[in-house]
Amino acid sequence: MMQNLYLLGGLLFSILPLINAQTCNSTSLCPSIAPCCSEYGYCGTGSYCLGGCEPLYSFKSTSCRPNPICQSQETNFNDLSRVQSNGTKFDGNATAYDWVVNTGVLVPSPSGDGVRLTLRESDQGTKISSTRYIHYGSIDFVLESSKWNGVVTAAITMSDVKDEIDWEFPGATTDKVQTNYWFLGVANYSATEGAAADISSDASSNFHTYTFDWQEDYINWLIDGQVVRTVLKTDTLSDDGSQFKYPSTPSRIQLSIWPAGISSSAQGTIDWAGGMIDWSDPDYVSNGYFWNTLQSVNISCASEQGQSITTTGWSYQGNDTQGIPIVDVTNASTLLSASELKAVPIKNGQIFSLVGILSLFALSGITLL
Ligand SMILES: *[C@@H]1O[C@H](CO)[C@@H](O)[C@H](O)[C@H]1NC(C)=O
Ligand SMILES: *[C@@H]1O[C@H](CO)[C@@H](O)[C@H](O)[C@H]1NC(C)=O
Ligand SMILES: *[C@@H]1O[C@H](CO)[C@@H](O)[C@H](O)[C@H]1NC(C)=O
Ligand SMILES: *[C@@H]1O[C@H](CO)[C@@H](O)[C@H](O)[C@H]1NC(C)=O
Ligand SMILES: *[C@@H]1O[C@H](CO)[C@@H](O)[C@H](O)[C@H]1NC(C)=O
Ligand SMILES: *[C@@H]1O[C@H](CO)[C@@H](O)[C@H](O)[C@H]1NC(C)=O
Ligand SMILES: *[C@@H]1O[C@H](CO)[C@@H](O)[C@H](O)[C@H]1NC(C)=O
């Protein structure tokens, strides 16, 4: 028995690098055996088919599970009962959890006003994502940002085809916050100019409410109820007039703290964030981490055309003639099956389905046991 396991282990290790190498992008879609393209650009099954699964790079655009439909709700982060702290355990049931922790660790705020997202020298910080998606509507974030050079706090929406709307707080400037948006993974850098908004009091030691009012025709960014920036969809028409470069696809809501001031970052990123992180900072030494504090997130969904009582989510149906992904409501299940949940984690944190690996053995003619 031991020997068989040992043999199995050896075989897995010899074959995993092969699977590991299976990447996906716009010209190289995933194969049927590992149909889902993860948000990090790797093919697989199981959790690869959930949040962030890139439909246009997957085997079929419907290989990814549907994006769970929006539900208006407020989360107060003093209560973590609806947060799945281990994101890889999530099975796609957005009724069971409102948030998952993708990376890092949440620590209840010592003053009892929410939760800290933490950053350690040994990790890449913390990121949490909503289990449901929003397709227009408004989102209020009540938070305190981080205040250390090189440390960035972000509150964003992110779709599976990389439409994105941002609040970004580089730690060096706690009296300002940056706004930005991305269309299919491309930032509108020209529009970024002048997009830093003033905050009435230090963002790292005062809770403020940061709102996206994201509608089909415009995006408003608001701080404490005051509009600080507006982008009209009509202003985003490409120079050749062929498409609106405007975020229009269902998105998860994500919050993070991440290390921009580290040697592996580009110099521009380091400068933007206020320089290298000082890991001997007394705050870091006494707490063992840097942090921001998240008090609440209030989601208010826009009403969705075609939605019925049986609608479970949104799915993608390829591109339209302007290259804009087509999104439809669907009644299909958002959940992974029991067999898809049996995933094998490997060293670098990527997860591969045991079923997928066994089918590879079957394909290569190797008989187990
Ligand atoms: C897509 O991936 C393939 C295989 O890894 C690679 O050869 C190709 O250059 C990539 N294309 C793009 C657009 O990144
Ligand atoms: C998260 O869950 C996976 C799958 O059940 C498990 O292998 C892993 O050890 C867990 N990670 C943590 C940090 O608990
Ligand atoms: C999803 O989770 C809810 C709440 O925990 C539970 O009642 C429901 O049975 C689950 N659905 C499935 C299909 O597992
Ligand atoms: C950026 O947005 C501005 C309007 O805000 C628009 O004029 C410009 O074409 C956009 N640039 C890109 C690269 O999308
Ligand atoms: C959440 O947002 C909605 C829409 O803006 C608003 O009507 C509601 O009062 C907010 N709820 C809380 C608890 O702030
Ligand atoms: C969708 O359109 C984009 C932009 O034109 C293009 O890069 C991509 O290859 C298209 N994808 C599919 C699956 O047609
Ligand atoms: C979903 O189910 C409803 C009610 O059965 C039906 O009317 C609708 O056509 C279905 N929608 C889709 C996209 O399958």
Side-chain angles (χ1 to χ4, degrees):
M1 184 63 188
M2 245 6 242
Q3 229 166 2
N4 279 344
L5 282 179
Y6 187 71
L7 176 65
L8 177 61
L11 284 170
L12 285 181
F13 269 99
S14 58
I15 219 161
L16 276 173
L18 280 177
I19 312 173
N20 201 353
Q22 187 86 48
T23 57
C24 34
N25 59 36
S26 59
T27 54
S28 167
L29 309 187
C30 289
S32 61
I33 192 176
C36 295
C37 182
S38 78
E39 64 179 314
Y40 305 110
Y42 290 94
C43 299
T45 59
S47 64
Y48 280 49
C49 303
L50 297 178
C53 179
E54 172 38 282
L56 300 180
Y57 306 167
S58 293
F59 180 60
K60 292 186 288 188
S61 58
T62 49
S63 297
C64 304
R65 288 298 169 283
N67 296 166
I69 201 85
C70 193
Q71 218 167 59
S72 297
Q73 63 189 0
E74 195 198 20
T75 305
N76 181 320
F77 283 89
N78 280 325
D79 174 5
L80 297 180
S81 61
R82 300 206 36 92
V83 180
Q84 168 57 272
S85 61
N86 184 340
T88 60
K89 286 203 169 125
F90 183 61
D91 66 356
N93 185 348
T95 303
Y97 293 101
D98 297 326
W99 299 89
V100 296
V101 179
N102 305 112
T103 55
V105 181
L106 298 179
V107 174
S109 166
S111 44
D113 46 11
V115 79
R116 286 177 168 180
L117 278 65
T118 62
L119 165 66
R120 292 169 176 78
E121 193 170 5
S122 58
D123 63 27
Q124 289 297 302
T126 297
K127 182 171 91 174
I128 69 170
S129 300
S130 62
T131 57
R132 294 183 180 276
Y133 285 61
I134 181 168
H135 194 205
Y136 306 121
S138 74
I139 306 142
D140 304 319
F141 302 97
V142 181
L143 59 83
E144 275 179 0
S145 67
S146 41
K147 65 179 174 194
W148 302 276
N149 286 353
V151 178
V152 180
T153 289
I156 70 172
T157 65
M158 170 72 84
S159 85
D160 293 353
V161 292
K162 311 274 194 286
D163 280 343
E164 180 179 341
I165 307 172
D166 290 358
W167 290 109
E168 283 185 298
F169 305 79
T173 47
T174 55
D175 60 342
K176 284 188 170 36
V177 56
Q178 300 195 346
T179 64
N180 204 358
Y181 70 95
W182 304 59
F183 166 74
L184 302 184
V186 180
N188 185 317
Y189 287 111
S190 66
T192 302
E193 285 159 20
D198 291 328
I199 306 166
S200 61
S201 65
D202 186 308
S204 70
S205 53
N206 297 278
F207 285 100
H208 290 281
T209 303
Y210 303 90
T211 302
F212 297 133
D213 177 15
W214 175 36
Q215 305 299 338
E216 226 169 313
D217 300 325
Y218 67 89
I219 307 166
N220 278 337
W221 285 257
L222 299 90
I223 302 178
D224 299 328
Q226 302 296 312
V227 177
V228 296
R229 182 177 180 194
T230 300
V231 168
L232 301 179
K233 179 176 181 178
T234 49
D235 289 343
T236 65
L237 192 62
S238 59
D239 292 338
D240 64 3
S242 66
Q243 60 182 191
F244 291 102
K245 297 188 172 237
Y246 184 80
S248 68
T249 49
S251 299
R252 287 185 292 168
I253 298 163
Q254 301 185 317
L255 291 118
S256 64
I257 183 169
W258 59 278
I262 52 176
S263 54
S264 57
S265 294
Q267 191 58 46
T269 305
I270 297 171
D271 295 343
W272 167 77
M276 296 294 284
I277 297 175
D278 176 10
W279 300 106
S280 64
D281 186 289
D283 287 330
Y284 185 79
V285 172
S286 59
N287 289 276
Y289 55 77
F290 291 120
W291 69 92
N292 56 37
T293 308
L294 176 61
Q295 190 173 83
S296 64
V297 178
N298 179 18
I299 300 166
S300 177
C301 317
S303 59
E304 180 71 14
Q305 270 194 339
Q307 189 175 337
S308 76
I309 190 90
T310 58
T311 299
T312 54
W314 290 283
S315 65
Y316 285 85
Q317 318 290 335
N319 271 345
D320 71 10
T321 52
Q322 274 113 47
I324 308 232
I326 302 166
V327 174
D328 272 338
V329 291
T330 175
N331 296 340
S333 172
T334 65
L335 272 76
L336 298 176
S337 66
S339 66
E340 286 170 313
L341 258 181
K342 288 195 194 112
V344 182
I346 61 168
K347 243 198 250 163
N348 62 2
Q350 290 154 17
I351 312 294
F352 295 97
S353 159
L354 186 56
V355 175
I357 290 167
L358 291 176
S359 351
L360 267 189
F361 277 113
L363 279 183
S364 56
I366 301 172
T367 311
L368 289 174
L369 311 175

Coordinates of all heavy atoms in Angstrom, one line a residue, residues 127-189:
K127 N -6.2 39.3 -0.3 CA -7.3 39.7 -1.2 C -8.6 38.9 -0.9 O -8.5 37.7 -0.7 CB -6.8 39.4 -2.7 CG -7.9 39.9 -3.7 CD -7.3 39.8 -5.1 CE -7.6 38.4 -5.7 NZ -7.2 38.3 -7.1
I128 N -9.7 39.6 -0.8 CA -11.0 39.0 -0.7 C -11.8 39.3 -1.9 O -11.7 40.4 -2.5 CB -11.7 39.3 0.6 CG1 -12.1 40.8 0.7 CG2 -10.8 39.0 1.8 CD1 -13.1 41.1 1.9
S129 N -12.7 38.4 -2.3 CA -13.6 38.6 -3.4 C -15.1 38.3 -3.0 O -15.3 37.4 -2.2 CB -13.3 37.7 -4.6 OG -12.0 37.9 -5.0
S130 N -16.0 39.0 -3.5 CA -17.4 38.7 -3.3 C -17.7 37.4 -4.1 O -17.1 37.1 -5.1 CB -18.3 39.8 -3.9 OG -18.1 40.0 -5.3
T131 N -18.6 36.6 -3.6 CA -18.9 35.3 -4.3 C -19.9 35.6 -5.4 O -19.9 34.9 -6.4 CB -19.5 34.3 -3.4 OG1 -20.7 34.9 -2.8 CG2 -18.6 33.8 -2.3
R132 N -20.7 36.7 -5.3 CA -21.6 37.1 -6.3 C -21.0 38.2 -7.2 O -20.0 38.9 -6.8 CB -22.9 37.6 -5.7 CG -23.7 36.5 -5.0 CD -25.0 36.9 -4.4 NE -25.7 35.8 -3.8 CZ -26.4 34.9 -4.4 NH1 -26.6 35.0 -5.7 NH2 -26.9 33.9 -3.7
Y133 N -21.6 38.4 -8.3 CA -21.2 39.4 -9.3 C -22.2 40.6 -9.3 O -23.3 40.4 -8.9 CB -21.0 38.9 -10.7 CG -19.8 38.0 -10.8 CD1 -19.6 36.8 -10.1 CD2 -18.8 38.3 -11.8 CE1 -18.5 36.0 -10.2 CE2 -17.7 37.5 -11.9 CZ -17.5 36.3 -11.2 OH -16.4 35.5 -11.3
I134 N -21.7 41.7 -9.7 CA -22.6 42.9 -9.9 C -22.5 43.3 -11.4 O -21.4 43.4 -11.9 CB -22.3 44.0 -8.9 CG1 -23.3 45.2 -9.0 CG2 -20.9 44.5 -9.0 CD1 -23.2 46.2 -7.9
H135 N -23.7 43.6 -12.0 CA -23.7 44.1 -13.4 C -24.4 45.4 -13.4 O -25.6 45.4 -13.6 CB -24.4 43.0 -14.2 CG -24.2 43.2 -15.7 ND1 -25.1 42.8 -16.6 CD2 -23.2 43.8 -16.4 CE1 -24.7 43.1 -17.9 NE2 -23.5 43.7 -17.7
Y136 N -23.7 46.4 -13.0 CA -24.2 47.8 -12.8 C -24.9 47.8 -11.4 O -25.4 46.8 -10.9 CB -25.1 48.3 -13.9 CG -24.5 48.2 -15.2 CD1 -25.2 47.4 -16.2 CD2 -23.4 48.8 -15.5 CE1 -24.6 47.3 -17.5 CE2 -22.8 48.8 -16.8 CZ -23.4 48.0 -17.8 OH -22.9 47.9 -19.0
G137 N -24.9 49.0 -10.8 CA -25.4 49.2 -9.5 C -24.5 50.1 -8.6 O -23.6 50.7 -9.2
S138 N -24.7 50.1 -7.3 CA -23.7 50.9 -6.5 C -23.1 50.1 -5.4 O -23.7 49.1 -4.9 CB -24.4 52.2 -6.0 OG -25.3 51.8 -5.0
I139 N -21.9 50.4 -5.1 CA -21.2 49.7 -4.0 C -20.5 50.8 -3.1 O -19.8 51.7 -3.6 CB -20.0 48.9 -4.6 CG1 -20.6 47.9 -5.7 CG2 -19.3 48.1 -3.5 CD1 -19.7 47.8 -6.9
D140 N -20.8 50.7 -1.8 CA -20.2 51.6 -0.8 C -19.2 50.8 -0.1 O -19.5 49.7 0.5 CB -21.2 52.1 0.2 CG -22.4 52.8 -0.4 OD1 -22.2 53.6 -1.4 OD2 -23.6 52.6 0.0
F141 N -18.0 51.3 0.0 CA -16.9 50.6 0.8 C -16.7 51.6 2.0 O -16.4 52.8 1.8 CB -15.6 50.5 0.1 CG -15.7 49.7 -1.2 CD1 -15.8 50.4 -2.4 CD2 -15.5 48.3 -1.2 CE1 -15.8 49.6 -3.6 CE2 -15.5 47.6 -2.3 CZ -15.7 48.2 -3.6
V142 N -16.8 51.1 3.2 CA -16.4 51.9 4.4 C -15.1 51.3 4.9 O -15.1 50.2 5.4 CB -17.5 51.9 5.5 CG1 -17.0 52.8 6.7 CG2 -18.8 52.5 4.9
L143 N -14.0 52.1 4.8 CA -12.7 51.5 5.1 C -11.7 52.6 5.6 O -11.9 53.8 5.3 CB -12.1 50.8 4.0 CG -11.9 51.5 2.6 CD1 -10.5 52.2 2.6 CD2 -11.9 50.5 1.5
E144 N -10.6 52.1 6.2 CA -9.4 52.9 6.5 C -8.3 52.3 5.7 O -8.1 51.1 5.8 CB -9.1 52.8 8.0 CG -9.8 53.8 8.9 CD -9.3 53.7 10.4 OE1 -8.5 52.8 10.7 OE2 -9.9 54.4 11.2
S145 N -7.6 53.1 5.0 CA -6.5 52.6 4.1 C -5.3 52.3 4.9 O -5.2 52.6 6.1 CB -6.2 53.6 3.0 OG -5.6 54.8 3.6
S146 N -4.3 51.8 4.2 CA -2.9 51.6 4.9 C -2.1 52.8 4.7 O -2.4 53.7 3.9 CB -2.3 50.4 4.2 OG -2.4 50.5 2.8
K147 N -1.1 53.0 5.6 CA -0.4 54.3 5.6 C 1.1 54.2 5.4 O 1.8 55.2 5.6 CB -0.7 55.0 6.9 CG -0.1 54.3 8.1 CD -0.4 55.0 9.4 CE 0.0 54.2 10.6 NZ -0.5 54.7 11.9
W148 N 1.6 53.1 5.0 CA 3.0 52.9 4.9 C 3.5 52.9 3.5 O 2.8 52.4 2.5 CB 3.4 51.5 5.5 CG 2.9 51.5 7.0 CD1 3.6 51.9 8.0 CD2 1.7 50.9 7.4 NE1 2.8 51.7 9.2 CE2 1.7 51.1 8.8 CE3 0.6 50.3 6.9 CZ2 0.6 50.7 9.7 CZ3 -0.4 49.9 7.6 CH2 -0.4 50.1 9.0
N149 N 4.7 53.6 3.3 CA 5.3 53.7 1.9 C 5.4 52.3 1.3 O 5.8 51.4 1.9 CB 6.7 54.3 2.0 CG 6.6 55.8 2.3 OD1 5.5 56.4 2.3 ND2 7.8 56.4 2.5
G150 N 5.0 52.2 0.0 CA 5.1 51.0 -0.7 C 4.0 50.0 -0.5 O 3.9 49.0 -1.2
V151 N 3.0 50.3 0.4 CA 1.9 49.4 0.7 C 0.7 50.0 0.1 O 0.4 51.2 0.3 CB 1.7 49.2 2.2 CG1 0.5 48.3 2.5 CG2 3.0 48.6 2.8
V152 N -0.1 49.2 -0.7 CA -1.2 49.7 -1.4 C -2.5 49.1 -0.9 O -2.6 47.8 -0.8 CB -1.1 49.5 -2.9 CG1 -2.3 50.1 -3.7 CG2 0.2 50.2 -3.4
T153 N -3.6 49.9 -0.7 CA -4.9 49.3 -0.5 C -5.7 49.5 -1.7 O -5.6 50.6 -2.4 CB -5.5 50.1 0.7 OG1 -4.9 49.7 1.9 CG2 -7.0 49.8 0.8
A154 N -6.5 48.5 -2.1 CA -7.4 48.7 -3.3 C -8.8 48.2 -3.0 O -9.0 47.2 -2.3 CB -6.8 47.9 -4.5
A155 N -9.8 48.9 -3.6 CA -11.2 48.4 -3.5 C -11.7 48.6 -4.9 O -11.7 49.7 -5.5 CB -12.0 49.3 -2.6
I156 N -12.0 47.4 -5.6 CA -12.3 47.4 -7.0 C -13.4 46.5 -7.4 O -13.9 45.8 -6.6 CB -11.0 46.9 -7.8 CG1 -10.8 45.4 -7.6 CG2 -9.8 47.7 -7.3 CD1 -9.7 44.8 -8.5
T157 N -13.9 46.7 -8.6 CA -14.7 45.7 -9.3 C -13.9 45.0 -10.4 O -13.1 45.8 -11.0 CB -16.0 46.2 -9.9 OG1 -15.7 47.1 -10.9 CG2 -16.8 46.9 -8.8
M158 N -14.0 43.7 -10.6 CA -13.2 43.0 -11.6 C -14.0 42.0 -12.3 O -14.6 41.1 -11.6 CB -12.0 42.4 -10.9 CG -11.2 41.5 -11.7 SD -10.2 42.3 -13.0 CE -8.8 42.7 -12.0
S159 N -14.1 42.0 -13.6 CA -14.9 41.0 -14.3 C -14.0 39.9 -14.8 O -12.7 40.1 -14.8 CB -15.6 41.6 -15.5 OG -14.8 41.7 -16.6
D160 N -14.5 38.8 -15.2 CA -13.8 37.7 -15.7 C -13.0 38.0 -17.0 O -12.1 37.2 -17.4 CB -14.6 36.4 -15.8 CG -15.1 36.0 -14.5 OD1 -14.7 36.6 -13.4 OD2 -16.0 35.1 -14.4
V161 N -13.5 39.0 -17.7 CA -12.8 39.4 -19.0 C -12.0 40.7 -18.7 O -11.6 41.4 -19.6 CB -13.7 39.6 -20.2 CG1 -14.3 38.2 -20.6 CG2 -14.8 40.6 -19.9
K162 N -11.8 41.0 -17.4 CA -10.9 42.1 -17.0 C -11.3 43.5 -17.3 O -10.6 44.4 -17.5 CB -9.4 41.8 -17.5 CG -8.9 40.4 -17.3 CD -8.2 40.3 -15.9 CE -7.4 39.0 -15.8 NZ -8.2 37.7 -15.7
D163 N -12.6 43.7 -17.2 CA -13.2 45.1 -17.0 C -13.0 45.4 -15.5 O -13.2 44.5 -14.7 CB -14.7 45.1 -17.4 CG -14.9 45.2 -18.9 OD1 -14.0 45.5 -19.6 OD2 -16.1 44.9 -19.2
E164 N -12.6 46.6 -15.2 CA -12.3 46.9 -13.8 C -12.6 48.3 -13.5 O -12.4 49.2 -14.4 CB -10.8 46.6 -13.7 CG -10.2 46.8 -12.3 CD -8.7 46.5 -12.3 OE1 -8.2 45.7 -13.2 OE2 -8.0 47.0 -11.4
I165 N -13.0 48.6 -12.3 CA -13.2 49.9 -11.8 C -12.4 50.0 -10.4 O -12.6 49.1 -9.6 CB -14.7 50.3 -11.6 CG1 -15.4 50.1 -12.9 CG2 -14.8 51.8 -11.1 CD1 -17.0 50.2 -12.7
D166 N -11.7 51.1 -10.2 CA -10.7 51.1 -9.1 C -10.9 52.3 -8.1 O -11.1 53.4 -8.6 CB -9.3 51.2 -9.6 CG -8.8 49.9 -10.3 OD1 -9.5 49.0 -10.3 OD2 -7.6 50.0 -10.7
W167 N -10.7 52.0 -6.9 CA -10.1 53.0 -5.9 C -8.8 52.4 -5.5 O -8.7 51.2 -5.1 CB -11.0 53.0 -4.6 CG -12.3 53.6 -4.7 CD1 -13.5 52.9 -4.6 CD2 -12.7 55.0 -4.8 NE1 -14.6 53.8 -4.7 CE2 -14.1 55.1 -4.8 CE3 -11.9 56.2 -4.9 CZ2 -14.8 56.3 -4.8 CZ3 -12.6 57.4 -4.9 CH2 -14.0 57.4 -4.9
E168 N -7.7 53.2 -5.5 CA -6.4 52.7 -5.1 C -5.8 53.8 -4.2 O -5.8 55.0 -4.5 CB -5.5 52.5 -6.3 CG -5.9 51.2 -7.1 CD -4.9 50.9 -8.2 OE1 -4.8 51.7 -9.1 OE2 -4.2 49.9 -8.1
F169 N -5.3 53.2 -3.1 CA -4.7 54.1 -2.0 C -3.2 53.7 -1.9 O -2.9 52.8 -1.1 CB -5.4 53.8 -0.7 CG -6.9 54.0 -0.7 CD1 -7.7 53.0 -1.2 CD2 -7.5 55.1 -0.1 CE1 -9.1 53.2 -1.2 CE2 -8.9 55.3 -0.1 CZ -9.7 54.3 -0.6
P170 N -2.3 54.4 -2.6 CA -0.9 54.2 -2.3 C -0.6 54.8 -0.9 O -1.0 55.9 -0.6 CB -0.2 55.0 -3.4 CG -1.3 55.4 -4.4 CD -2.5 55.4 -3.6
G171 N 0.2 54.0 -0.1 CA 0.3 54.4 1.3 C 1.0 55.7 1.5 O 0.8 56.3 2.6
A172 N 1.8 56.2 0.6 CA 2.5 57.4 0.8 C 1.7 58.7 0.9 O 2.0 59.7 1.5 CB 3.6 57.6 -0.3
T173 N 0.5 58.6 0.3 CA -0.4 59.8 0.2 C -1.7 59.5 0.8 O -2.6 59.1 0.1 CB -0.5 60.3 -1.2 OG1 -0.9 59.2 -2.1 CG2 0.7 61.0 -1.7
T174 N -1.9 59.7 2.1 CA -3.2 59.3 2.7 C -4.2 60.4 2.7 O -5.3 60.2 3.2 CB -2.9 58.9 4.2 OG1 -2.3 60.0 4.8 CG2 -2.0 57.6 4.2
D175 N -3.9 61.5 2.0 CA -5.0 62.5 1.8 C -5.6 62.5 0.4 O -6.4 63.3 0.1 CB -4.4 63.9 2.1 CG -3.2 64.3 1.1 OD1 -2.7 63.3 0.5 OD2 -2.9 65.5 1.0
K176 N -5.2 61.5 -0.4 CA -5.7 61.4 -1.7 C -6.0 59.9 -2.1 O -5.4 59.0 -1.5 CB -4.7 61.9 -2.7 CG -4.6 63.4 -2.8 CD -3.6 63.8 -4.0 CE -3.6 65.2 -4.3 NZ -3.8 66.1 -3.1
V177 N -6.9 59.7 -3.0 CA -7.2 58.3 -3.5 C -7.2 58.4 -5.0 O -7.7 59.4 -5.6 CB -8.5 57.7 -2.9 CG1 -9.7 58.6 -3.1 CG2 -8.7 56.3 -3.4
Q178 N -6.8 57.4 -5.7 CA -6.8 57.4 -7.1 C -8.0 56.6 -7.7 O -8.3 55.6 -7.1 CB -5.5 56.8 -7.7 CG -4.3 57.6 -7.2 CD -3.0 57.3 -7.9 OE1 -2.9 56.4 -8.6 NE2 -2.0 58.2 -7.7
T179 N -8.5 57.1 -8.8 CA -9.6 56.4 -9.4 C -9.1 56.0 -10.8 O -8.3 56.7 -11.4 CB -10.8 57.4 -9.6 OG1 -10.4 58.5 -10.5 CG2 -11.3 57.9 -8.3
N180 N -9.6 54.9 -11.3 CA -9.3 54.4 -12.6 C -10.3 53.4 -13.1 O -11.1 52.9 -12.3 CB -7.9 53.8 -12.5 CG -7.2 53.8 -13.9 OD1 -7.7 54.3 -14.9 ND2 -5.9 53.3 -13.9
Y181 N -10.2 53.1 -14.4 CA -11.1 52.0 -14.9 C -10.3 51.4 -16.1 O -9.4 52.0 -16.7 CB -12.4 52.5 -15.4 CG -12.4 53.4 -16.6 CD1 -12.7 52.9 -17.9 CD2 -12.2 54.8 -16.5 CE1 -12.7 53.7 -19.0 CE2 -12.2 55.6 -17.6 CZ -12.4 55.0 -18.8 OH -12.4 55.9 -19.9
W182 N -10.7 50.1 -16.3 CA -10.0 49.3 -17.3 C -11.1 48.7 -18.2 O -12.2 48.4 -17.7 CB -9.2 48.2 -16.7 CG -8.2 48.6 -15.7 CD1 -8.4 49.3 -14.5 CD2 -6.8 48.4 -15.8 NE1 -7.2 49.5 -13.9 CE2 -6.2 48.9 -14.6 CE3 -6.0 47.7 -16.7 CZ2 -4.8 48.8 -14.4 CZ3 -4.6 47.6 -16.4 CH2 -4.0 48.2 -15.3
F183 N -10.8 48.6 -19.5 CA -11.7 47.9 -20.4 C -11.0 46.7 -21.0 O -9.9 46.8 -21.6 CB -12.1 48.9 -21.5 CG -12.7 48.2 -22.7 CD1 -14.0 47.8 -22.7 CD2 -12.0 48.0 -23.9 CE1 -14.6 47.2 -23.8 CE2 -12.6 47.4 -25.0 CZ -13.9 47.0 -24.9
L184 N -11.5 45.5 -20.7 CA -10.8 44.2 -21.2 C -9.3 44.2 -20.9 O -8.5 43.9 -21.8 CB -11.1 44.0 -22.7 CG -12.6 43.9 -23.1 CD1 -12.7 43.6 -24.6 CD2 -13.3 42.9 -22.3
G185 N -9.0 44.6 -19.7 CA -7.6 44.5 -19.3 C -6.7 45.7 -19.7 O -5.5 45.7 -19.4
V186 N -7.3 46.7 -20.4 CA -6.5 47.8 -20.8 C -6.9 49.1 -20.0 O -8.1 49.5 -20.1 CB -6.6 48.1 -22.3 CG1 -5.8 49.3 -22.7 CG2 -6.2 46.9 -23.1
A187 N -6.0 49.7 -19.3 CA -6.3 50.9 -18.5 C -6.4 52.1 -19.4 O -5.7 52.2 -20.4 CB -5.2 51.1 -17.5
N188 N -7.3 53.0 -19.1 CA -7.3 54.3 -19.8 C -6.4 55.2 -19.1 O -6.8 56.0 -18.2 CB -8.8 54.8 -19.8 CG -8.8 56.1 -20.7 OD1 -8.0 56.9 -20.6 ND2 -9.9 56.1 -21.4
Y189 N -5.1 55.2 -19.5 CA -4.1 55.9 -18.8 C -4.3 57.4 -19.0 O -4.0 58.2 -18.1 CB -2.7 55.5 -19.2 CG -2.3 54.2 -18.6 CD1 -2.2 53.1 -19.4 CD2 -2.2 54.0 -17.2 CE1 -1.9 51.8 -18.9 CE2 -1.9 52.8 -16.7 CZ -1.7 51.7 -17.5 OH -1.4 50.5 -16.9

